PDB file of all heavy atoms in Angstrom:
ATOM      1  N   PRO A 676     -69.941-168.905 111.880  1.00 79.00           N
ATOM      2  CA  PRO A 676     -70.898-168.145 112.699  1.00 79.00           C
ATOM      3  C   PRO A 676     -72.115-168.967 113.097  1.00 79.00           C
ATOM      4  O   PRO A 676     -72.708-168.740 114.143  1.00 79.00           O
ATOM      5  CB  PRO A 676     -71.277-166.972 111.791  1.00 79.00           C
ATOM      6  CG  PRO A 676     -70.997-167.460 110.399  1.00 79.00           C
ATOM      7  CD  PRO A 676     -69.801-168.352 110.525  1.00 79.00           C
ATOM      8  N   GLY A 677     -72.494-169.922 112.266  1.00 77.00           N
ATOM      9  CA  GLY A 677     -73.653-170.738 112.602  1.00 77.00           C
ATOM     10  C   GLY A 677     -73.418-171.634 113.808  1.00 77.00           C
ATOM     11  O   GLY A 677     -74.371-172.060 114.474  1.00 77.00           O
ATOM     12  N   GLU A 678     -72.169-171.962 114.095  1.00 76.00           N
ATOM     13  CA  GLU A 678     -71.836-172.830 115.221  1.00 76.00           C
ATOM     14  C   GLU A 678     -71.384-172.044 116.451  1.00 76.00           C
ATOM     15  O   GLU A 678     -71.282-172.616 117.535  1.00 76.00           O
ATOM     16  CB  GLU A 678     -70.735-173.816 114.807  1.00 76.00           C
ATOM     17  CG  GLU A 678     -71.152-174.781 113.710  1.00 76.00           C
ATOM     18  CD  GLU A 678     -72.309-175.662 114.150  1.00 76.00           C
ATOM     19  OE1 GLU A 678     -72.353-176.045 115.338  1.00 76.00           O
ATOM     20  OE2 GLU A 678     -73.180-175.955 113.311  1.00 76.00           O
ATOM     21  N   ARG A 679     -71.125-170.768 116.314  1.00 79.00           N
ATOM     22  CA  ARG A 679     -70.635-169.984 117.444  1.00 79.00           C
ATOM     23  C   ARG A 679     -71.543-168.786 117.717  1.00 79.00           C
ATOM     24  O   ARG A 679     -72.373-168.797 118.627  1.00 79.00           O
ATOM     25  CB  ARG A 679     -69.198-169.526 117.160  1.00 79.00           C
ATOM     26  CG  ARG A 679     -68.225-170.693 117.057  1.00 79.00           C
ATOM     27  CD  ARG A 679     -66.832-170.212 116.709  1.00 79.00           C
ATOM     28  NE  ARG A 679     -65.899-171.344 116.533  1.00 79.00           N
ATOM     29  CZ  ARG A 679     -64.647-171.220 116.120  1.00 79.00           C
ATOM     30  NH1 ARG A 679     -64.145-170.033 115.837  1.00 79.00           N
ATOM     31  NH2 ARG A 679     -63.878-172.290 115.993  1.00 79.00           N
ATOM     32  N   GLN A 680     -71.366-167.734 116.914  1.00 81.00           N
ATOM     33  CA  GLN A 680     -72.092-166.488 117.188  1.00 81.00           C
ATOM     34  C   GLN A 680     -73.605-166.675 117.137  1.00 81.00           C
ATOM     35  O   GLN A 680     -74.334-166.159 117.999  1.00 81.00           O
ATOM     36  CB  GLN A 680     -71.648-165.404 116.186  1.00 81.00           C
ATOM     37  CG  GLN A 680     -70.241-164.891 116.391  1.00 81.00           C
ATOM     38  CD  GLN A 680     -69.194-165.748 115.692  1.00 81.00           C
ATOM     39  OE1 GLN A 680     -69.523-166.805 115.138  1.00 81.00           O
ATOM     40  NE2 GLN A 680     -67.953-165.296 115.726  1.00 81.00           N
ATOM     41  N   ASP A 681     -74.074-167.414 116.123  1.00 84.00           N
ATOM     42  CA  ASP A 681     -75.529-167.594 116.001  1.00 84.00           C
ATOM     43  C   ASP A 681     -76.097-168.388 117.170  1.00 84.00           C
ATOM     44  O   ASP A 681     -77.210-168.132 117.633  1.00 84.00           O
ATOM     45  CB  ASP A 681     -75.858-168.291 114.680  1.00 84.00           C
ATOM     46  CG  ASP A 681     -75.626-167.383 113.488  1.00 84.00           C
ATOM     47  OD1 ASP A 681     -75.395-166.178 113.712  1.00 84.00           O
ATOM     48  OD2 ASP A 681     -75.675-167.867 112.348  1.00 84.00           O
ATOM     49  N   ARG A 682     -75.325-169.352 117.664  1.00 89.00           N
ATOM     50  CA  ARG A 682     -75.801-170.138 118.800  1.00 89.00           C
ATOM     51  C   ARG A 682     -75.813-169.300 120.086  1.00 89.00           C
ATOM     52  O   ARG A 682     -76.702-169.444 120.925  1.00 89.00           O
ATOM     53  CB  ARG A 682     -74.945-171.386 118.982  1.00 89.00           C
ATOM     54  CG  ARG A 682     -75.164-172.412 117.864  1.00 89.00           C
ATOM     55  CD  ARG A 682     -74.459-173.702 118.174  1.00 89.00           C
ATOM     56  NE  ARG A 682     -74.692-174.692 117.121  1.00 89.00           N
ATOM     57  CZ  ARG A 682     -75.749-175.495 117.066  1.00 89.00           C
ATOM     58  NH1 ARG A 682     -76.680-175.414 118.005  1.00 89.00           N
ATOM     59  NH2 ARG A 682     -75.896-176.380 116.079  1.00 89.00           N
ATOM     60  N   ASP A 683     -74.816-168.432 120.234  1.00 85.00           N
ATOM     61  CA  ASP A 683     -74.824-167.534 121.387  1.00 85.00           C
ATOM     62  C   ASP A 683     -76.041-166.603 121.351  1.00 85.00           C
ATOM     63  O   ASP A 683     -76.688-166.360 122.378  1.00 85.00           O
ATOM     64  CB  ASP A 683     -73.544-166.699 121.413  1.00 85.00           C
ATOM     65  CG  ASP A 683     -72.318-167.540 121.750  1.00 85.00           C
ATOM     66  OD1 ASP A 683     -72.503-168.638 122.323  1.00 85.00           O
ATOM     67  OD2 ASP A 683     -71.199-167.095 121.441  1.00 85.00           O
ATOM     68  N   THR A 684     -76.346-166.105 120.169  1.00 87.00           N
ATOM     69  CA  THR A 684     -77.517-165.234 120.030  1.00 87.00           C
ATOM     70  C   THR A 684     -78.798-165.998 120.317  1.00 87.00           C
ATOM     71  O   THR A 684     -79.708-165.489 120.998  1.00 87.00           O
ATOM     72  CB  THR A 684     -77.565-164.649 118.608  1.00 87.00           C
ATOM     73  OG1 THR A 684     -76.357-163.907 118.352  1.00 87.00           O
ATOM     74  CG2 THR A 684     -78.763-163.735 118.440  1.00 87.00           C
ATOM     75  N   ALA A 685     -78.895-167.231 119.810  1.00 91.00           N
ATOM     76  CA  ALA A 685     -80.090-168.041 120.061  1.00 91.00           C
ATOM     77  C   ALA A 685     -80.258-168.325 121.552  1.00 91.00           C
ATOM     78  O   ALA A 685     -81.382-168.333 122.076  1.00 91.00           O
ATOM     79  CB  ALA A 685     -79.998-169.352 119.280  1.00 91.00           C
ATOM     80  N   ALA A 686     -79.133-168.533 122.248  1.00 91.00           N
ATOM     81  CA  ALA A 686     -79.216-168.775 123.690  1.00 91.00           C
ATOM     82  C   ALA A 686     -79.769-167.553 124.415  1.00 91.00           C
ATOM     83  O   ALA A 686     -80.609-167.671 125.325  1.00 91.00           O
ATOM     84  CB  ALA A 686     -77.836-169.140 124.237  1.00 91.00           C
ATOM     85  N   GLN A 687     -79.331-166.365 124.036  1.00 88.00           N
ATOM     86  CA  GLN A 687     -79.829-165.144 124.668  1.00 88.00           C
ATOM     87  C   GLN A 687     -81.290-164.887 124.322  1.00 88.00           C
ATOM     88  O   GLN A 687     -82.074-164.425 125.166  1.00 88.00           O
ATOM     89  CB  GLN A 687     -78.966-163.954 124.242  1.00 88.00           C
ATOM     90  CG  GLN A 687     -77.546-163.991 124.773  1.00 88.00           C
ATOM     91  CD  GLN A 687     -77.498-163.922 126.288  1.00 88.00           C
ATOM     92  OE1 GLN A 687     -78.309-163.253 126.917  1.00 88.00           O
ATOM     93  NE2 GLN A 687     -76.556-164.641 126.891  1.00 88.00           N
ATOM     94  N   ARG A 688     -81.671-165.190 123.086  1.00 92.00           N
ATOM     95  CA  ARG A 688     -83.087-165.031 122.701  1.00 92.00           C
ATOM     96  C   ARG A 688     -83.972-165.986 123.504  1.00 92.00           C
ATOM     97  O   ARG A 688     -85.097-165.627 123.881  1.00 92.00           O
ATOM     98  CB  ARG A 688     -83.262-165.311 121.205  1.00 92.00           C
ATOM     99  CG  ARG A 688     -82.504-164.373 120.272  1.00 92.00           C
ATOM    100  CD  ARG A 688     -83.019-162.970 120.339  1.00 92.00           C
ATOM    101  NE  ARG A 688     -82.356-162.107 119.364  1.00 92.00           N
ATOM    102  CZ  ARG A 688     -82.385-160.787 119.385  1.00 92.00           C
ATOM    103  NH1 ARG A 688     -83.045-160.168 120.368  1.00 92.00           N
ATOM    104  NH2 ARG A 688     -81.759-160.085 118.461  1.00 92.00           N
ATOM    105  N   ALA A 689     -83.477-167.179 123.773  1.00 94.00           N
ATOM    106  CA  ALA A 689     -84.248-168.131 124.564  1.00 94.00           C
ATOM    107  C   ALA A 689     -84.436-167.622 125.986  1.00 94.00           C
ATOM    108  O   ALA A 689     -85.506-167.793 126.591  1.00 94.00           O
ATOM    109  CB  ALA A 689     -83.550-169.492 124.575  1.00 94.00           C
ATOM    110  N   LEU A 690     -83.390-166.983 126.524  1.00 91.00           N
ATOM    111  CA  LEU A 690     -83.532-166.393 127.864  1.00 91.00           C
ATOM    112  C   LEU A 690     -84.567-165.267 127.864  1.00 91.00           C
ATOM    113  O   LEU A 690     -85.307-165.085 128.835  1.00 91.00           O
ATOM    114  CB  LEU A 690     -82.182-165.869 128.349  1.00 91.00           C
ATOM    115  CG  LEU A 690     -81.117-166.922 128.673  1.00 91.00           C
ATOM    116  CD1 LEU A 690     -79.810-166.249 129.089  1.00 91.00           C
ATOM    117  CD2 LEU A 690     -81.608-167.861 129.775  1.00 91.00           C
ATOM    118  N   ALA A 691     -84.621-164.510 126.782  1.00 91.00           N
ATOM    119  CA  ALA A 691     -85.640-163.460 126.676  1.00 91.00           C
ATOM    120  C   ALA A 691     -87.042-164.067 126.614  1.00 91.00           C
ATOM    121  O   ALA A 691     -87.984-163.548 127.239  1.00 91.00           O
ATOM    122  CB  ALA A 691     -85.380-162.596 125.445  1.00 91.00           C
ATOM    123  N   ASP A 692     -87.187-165.177 125.871  1.00 93.00           N
ATOM    124  CA  ASP A 692     -88.488-165.860 125.832  1.00 93.00           C
ATOM    125  C   ASP A 692     -88.872-166.386 127.211  1.00 93.00           C
ATOM    126  O   ASP A 692     -90.044-166.334 127.606  1.00 93.00           O
ATOM    127  CB  ASP A 692     -88.436-167.011 124.824  1.00 93.00           C
ATOM    128  CG  ASP A 692     -88.294-166.520 123.388  1.00 93.00           C
ATOM    129  OD1 ASP A 692     -88.608-165.338 123.134  1.00 93.00           O
ATOM    130  OD2 ASP A 692     -87.874-167.320 122.526  1.00 93.00           O
ATOM    131  N   LYS A 693     -87.888-166.899 127.942  1.00 93.00           N
ATOM    132  CA  LYS A 693     -88.143-167.378 129.303  1.00 93.00           C
ATOM    133  C   LYS A 693     -88.627-166.246 130.202  1.00 93.00           C
ATOM    134  O   LYS A 693     -89.590-166.403 130.975  1.00 93.00           O
ATOM    135  CB  LYS A 693     -86.867-167.994 129.863  1.00 93.00           C
ATOM    136  CG  LYS A 693     -86.982-168.459 131.304  1.00 93.00           C
ATOM    137  CD  LYS A 693     -85.644-168.995 131.806  1.00 93.00           C
ATOM    138  CE  LYS A 693     -85.731-169.393 133.284  1.00 93.00           C
ATOM    139  NZ  LYS A 693     -84.421-169.895 133.789  1.00 93.00           N
ATOM    140  N   ALA A 694     -87.973-165.092 130.113  1.00 92.00           N
ATOM    141  CA  ALA A 694     -88.386-163.943 130.923  1.00 92.00           C
ATOM    142  C   ALA A 694     -89.771-163.464 130.533  1.00 92.00           C
ATOM    143  O   ALA A 694     -90.564-163.048 131.384  1.00 92.00           O
ATOM    144  CB  ALA A 694     -87.364-162.817 130.765  1.00 92.00           C
ATOM    145  N   GLU A 695     -90.095-163.525 129.243  1.00 93.00           N
ATOM    146  CA  GLU A 695     -91.420-163.097 128.788  1.00 93.00           C
ATOM    147  C   GLU A 695     -92.519-164.007 129.335  1.00 93.00           C
ATOM    148  O   GLU A 695     -93.579-163.535 129.766  1.00 93.00           O
ATOM    149  CB  GLU A 695     -91.452-163.075 127.259  1.00 93.00           C
ATOM    150  CG  GLU A 695     -92.734-162.502 126.686  1.00 93.00           C
ATOM    151  CD  GLU A 695     -92.687-162.375 125.178  1.00 93.00           C
ATOM    152  OE1 GLU A 695     -91.713-162.856 124.568  1.00 93.00           O
ATOM    153  OE2 GLU A 695     -93.621-161.777 124.597  1.00 93.00           O
ATOM    154  N   ALA A 696     -92.261-165.304 129.328  1.00 96.00           N
ATOM    155  CA  ALA A 696     -93.243-166.240 129.870  1.00 96.00           C
ATOM    156  C   ALA A 696     -93.412-166.053 131.373  1.00 96.00           C
ATOM    157  O   ALA A 696     -94.529-166.108 131.905  1.00 96.00           O
ATOM    158  CB  ALA A 696     -92.818-167.677 129.560  1.00 96.00           C
ATOM    159  N   ALA A 697     -92.300-165.831 132.075  1.00 94.00           N
ATOM    160  CA  ALA A 697     -92.384-165.595 133.515  1.00 94.00           C
ATOM    161  C   ALA A 697     -93.171-164.328 133.815  1.00 94.00           C
ATOM    162  O   ALA A 697     -93.947-164.273 134.780  1.00 94.00           O
ATOM    163  CB  ALA A 697     -90.979-165.508 134.109  1.00 94.00           C
ATOM    164  N   LEU A 698     -92.994-163.312 132.992  1.00 94.00           N
ATOM    165  CA  LEU A 698     -93.740-162.062 133.175  1.00 94.00           C
ATOM    166  C   LEU A 698     -95.234-162.290 132.970  1.00 94.00           C
ATOM    167  O   LEU A 698     -96.066-161.782 133.745  1.00 94.00           O
ATOM    168  CB  LEU A 698     -93.224-161.006 132.203  1.00 94.00           C
ATOM    169  CG  LEU A 698     -93.999-159.679 132.167  1.00 94.00           C
ATOM    170  CD1 LEU A 698     -93.977-159.010 133.527  1.00 94.00           C
ATOM    171  CD2 LEU A 698     -93.430-158.765 131.090  1.00 94.00           C
ATOM    172  N   ALA A 699     -95.594-163.043 131.948  1.00 95.00           N
ATOM    173  CA  ALA A 699     -97.005-163.328 131.699  1.00 95.00           C
ATOM    174  C   ALA A 699     -97.627-164.088 132.864  1.00 95.00           C
ATOM    175  O   ALA A 699     -98.756-163.806 133.286  1.00 95.00           O
ATOM    176  CB  ALA A 699     -97.163-164.108 130.396  1.00 95.00           C
ATOM    177  N   GLU A 700     -96.896-165.059 133.401  1.00 96.00           N
ATOM    178  CA  GLU A 700     -97.405-165.831 134.532  1.00 96.00           C
ATOM    179  C   GLU A 700     -97.552-164.947 135.771  1.00 96.00           C
ATOM    180  O   GLU A 700     -98.538-165.059 136.519  1.00 96.00           O
ATOM    181  CB  GLU A 700     -96.473-167.001 134.824  1.00 96.00           C
ATOM    182  CG  GLU A 700     -96.964-167.943 135.902  1.00 96.00           C
ATOM    183  CD  GLU A 700     -98.267-168.627 135.546  1.00 96.00           C
ATOM    184  OE1 GLU A 700     -98.508-168.859 134.343  1.00 96.00           O
ATOM    185  OE2 GLU A 700     -99.051-168.925 136.476  1.00 96.00           O
ATOM    186  N   ALA A 701     -96.579-164.079 136.008  1.00 94.00           N
ATOM    187  CA  ALA A 701     -96.660-163.171 137.154  1.00 94.00           C
ATOM    188  C   ALA A 701     -97.822-162.199 137.015  1.00 94.00           C
ATOM    189  O   ALA A 701     -98.464-161.841 138.011  1.00 94.00           O
ATOM    190  CB  ALA A 701     -95.343-162.406 137.302  1.00 94.00           C
ATOM    191  N   THR A 702     -98.109-161.772 135.793  1.00 95.00           N
ATOM    192  CA  THR A 702     -99.244-160.875 135.569  1.00 95.00           C
ATOM    193  C   THR A 702    -100.553-161.570 135.909  1.00 95.00           C
ATOM    194  O   THR A 702    -101.451-160.982 136.525  1.00 95.00           O
ATOM    195  CB  THR A 702     -99.253-160.398 134.109  1.00 95.00           C
ATOM    196  OG1 THR A 702     -98.013-159.717 133.822  1.00 95.00           O
ATOM    197  CG2 THR A 702    -100.412-159.447 133.859  1.00 95.00           C
ATOM    198  N   ARG A 703    -100.668-162.826 135.511  1.00 96.00           N
ATOM    199  CA  ARG A 703    -101.879-163.588 135.861  1.00 96.00           C
ATOM    200  C   ARG A 703    -102.016-163.716 137.378  1.00 96.00           C
ATOM    201  O   ARG A 703    -103.106-163.553 137.933  1.00 96.00           O
ATOM    202  CB  ARG A 703    -101.816-164.976 135.228  1.00 96.00           C
ATOM    203  CG  ARG A 703    -101.899-164.993 133.710  1.00 96.00           C
ATOM    204  CD  ARG A 703    -101.781-166.420 133.204  1.00 96.00           C
ATOM    205  NE  ARG A 703    -101.791-166.500 131.748  1.00 96.00           N
ATOM    206  CZ  ARG A 703    -101.636-167.625 131.065  1.00 96.00           C
ATOM    207  NH1 ARG A 703    -101.464-168.766 131.710  1.00 96.00           N
ATOM    208  NH2 ARG A 703    -101.651-167.615 129.735  1.00 96.00           N
ATOM    209  N   ALA A 704    -100.899-164.037 138.043  1.00 96.00           N
ATOM    210  CA  ALA A 704    -100.944-164.203 139.496  1.00 96.00           C
ATOM    211  C   ALA A 704    -101.305-162.899 140.193  1.00 96.00           C
ATOM    212  O   ALA A 704    -102.090-162.888 141.153  1.00 96.00           O
ATOM    213  CB  ALA A 704     -99.593-164.715 139.999  1.00 96.00           C
TER     214      ALA A 704
END
Side-chain angles (χ1 to χ4, degrees):
E678 296 298 324
R679 296 177 183 174
Q680 290 86 354
D681 289 350
R682 290 188 179 275
D683 290 340
T684 301
Q687 292 297 325
R688 298 294 185 196
L690 291 178
D692 293 340
K693 177 183 177 181
E695 186 175 7
L698 174 60
E700 185 62 31
T702 301
R703 293 178 183 177

